[in-house]
Amino acid sequence: MIRKLAFVTVAAVLVVASLGARAEVTFVLTNGDRVGGTLIYRHTTDFTVSRNGREQTFPSDDIALIQFVPGDPSRNELEQLPDIDNNPNELERHVFVFRNGNIMRGKLHDIVDNWFDFDAQAGGPRKHGLDEIARLYLNPATRPGVYNFR
């Protein structure tokens, strides 16, 4: 019985490990709510956060941004976000803010293991480590009040 339980536990850990990217994040939702936990990305248009063994999944349209580091964005960063959602072209859809302060527009394609792939508005396809990103604005034109950080 103990061997069977050990096997099931190991199998569960392997399945969870193969699900994709995992990082501690905070989702800032378009309605202003904030949800923190471990990011689980399953290669769909939805994003999942796990906290205390419970998972919550949100469509990407409901997520204003994903914070990979704590802290408020700078005024300069917020001023570079689009004012309105005027149906931007594909390569202006998302805003990537790196820990070194660089800001790029592009389109997220995938998050795998500790990497994310996107097409940059300037420069074409790119691949960066999750440890390089501070914030990913999925819906950067969300009403400004959502970005009033506490």
Side-chain angles (χ1 to χ4, degrees):
M1 180 66 165
I2 292 175
R3 284 185 187 178
K4 186 174 185 180
L5 181 59
F7 175 77
V8 169
T9 301
V10 169
V13 168
L14 291 175
V15 167
V16 168
S18 69
L19 292 176
R22 292 183 163 271
E24 291 303 311
V25 299
T26 298
F27 289 179
V28 177
L29 304 179
T30 56
N31 68 8
D33 290 346
R34 286 162 170 71
V35 181
T38 304
L39 171 68
I40 302 171
Y41 184 66
R42 295 185 172 111
H43 315 289
T44 69
T45 57
D46 298 336
F47 291 81
T48 300
V49 66
S50 174
R51 184 176 58 198
N52 299 325
R54 298 192 68 211
E55 292 184 4
Q56 286 182 276
T57 299
F58 301 92
S60 59
D61 288 344
D62 291 348
I63 303 171
L65 77 106
I66 300 173
Q67 287 187 275
F68 290 83
V69 298
D72 297 347
S74 68
R75 176 177 295 279
N76 177 52
E77 178 180 317
L78 294 175
E79 288 173 352
Q80 292 188 56
L81 299 178
D83 291 331
I84 58 171
D85 186 8
N86 58 357
N87 199 16
N89 75 47
E90 287 290 304
L91 297 181
E92 293 179 349
R93 179 159 298 186
H94 304 127
V95 177
F96 302 84
V97 179
F98 293 87
R99 294 181 193 206
N100 66 7
N102 289 342
I103 298 174
M104 291 184 190
R105 288 192 181 188
K107 180 181 179 197
L108 177 69
H109 284 292
D110 203 2
I111 301 173
V112 179
D113 298 323
N114 294 316
W115 298 92
F116 66 100
D117 296 312
F118 71 101
D119 281 335
Q121 182 183 28
R126 300 181 67 103
K127 182 175 184 174
H128 288 275
L130 287 178
D131 61 346
E132 296 178 62
I133 192 162
R135 281 171 289 286
L136 168 55
Y137 291 85
L138 293 177
N139 292 290
T142 299
R143 71 187 197 302
V146 168
Y147 301 123
N148 291 335
F149 287 83
R150 300 176 186 123

